[in-house]
Amino acid sequence: AVSRLRESRDPSLHRLKRGTCLMDAMLEPVFSQALQRLAATGHHVPHDNLACALLLQPLMSGSSNLPLGKALANSSTRFSNLRFSQLIAAQTPDELFTHLQRALRLLDGKANPFDVARIALEWTEHGADRVRKRLIANFYALPDTGLQAA
């Protein structure tokens, strides 16, 4: 959805980029369009998670093949352990957005957009622990014990 906005030069993209809370994304037409497309394919995503994913996508100016955890660990201005702990401790998509927004700023927007979207969409009551484990394994370069594919 966001890539279409970039191509069309829709002003919604700029509003999403300046968004500071999940409600900002929910007010954009692209939000309801994405919800409808997901529902049509049988995917039901919590509204807060979709809003988080939509707000983060315009913040990415480049692409990387590295998962977000590895990118944060390998960046020239390394994400501190304290900030990483705060990211991992996020309880809601709103808190997650705040910490991921900070992380993307540190990376100058150069992140794997699919990994960032996956993190935002899967940070649910039932999926957040799996995502946390994957981020921890990537950040601390732990050996693959099935966490990478989780």
Side-chain angles (χ1 to χ4, degrees):
V2 173
S3 61
R4 283 193 209 132
L5 286 177
R6 278 195 178 109
E7 293 167 4
S8 71
R9 301 187 193 268
D10 188 311
S12 296
L13 178 68
H14 299 291
R15 289 191 299 267
L16 285 172
K17 194 171 189 172
R18 288 190 310 267
T20 58
C21 68
L22 302 184
M23 190 61 68
D24 291 337
M26 292 178 189
L27 293 171
E28 292 300 323
V30 70
F31 177 79
S32 59
Q33 293 164 0
L35 267 180
Q36 290 170 356
R37 277 195 293 271
L38 287 166
T41 60
H43 295 91
H44 300 283
V45 176
H47 292 183
D48 286 354
N49 294 76
L50 179 59
C52 181
L54 286 173
L55 283 172
L56 292 169
Q57 292 301 307
L59 301 178
M60 289 183 262
S61 59
S63 187
S64 168
N65 291 331
L66 288 176
L68 182 67
K70 284 185 182 179
L72 289 170
N74 295 336
S75 74
S76 57
T77 52
R78 190 174 186 277
F79 208 54
S80 73
N81 289 340
L82 175 62
R83 293 225 172 167
F84 185 73
S85 295
Q86 291 170 339
L87 166 64
I88 294 301
Q91 294 297 310
T92 65
D94 200 29
E95 289 176 33
L96 179 68
F97 168 68
T98 300
H99 295 293
L100 288 177
Q101 183 182 41
R102 181 181 295 143
L104 290 173
R105 267 193 247 121
L106 177 89
L107 295 172
D108 293 324
K110 293 175 180 71
N112 183 326
F114 299 105
D115 191 47
V116 173
R118 184 177 172 197
I119 291 166
L121 294 173
E122 293 179 359
W123 201 275
T124 62
E125 181 181 343
H126 303 293
D129 283 341
R130 186 175 55 248
V131 177
R132 284 182 181 105
K133 289 175 185 175
R134 190 174 72 236
L135 279 167
I136 290 167
N138 288 328
F139 189 77
Y140 292 108
L142 299 176
D144 187 2
T145 58
L147 294 175
Q148 305 297 329

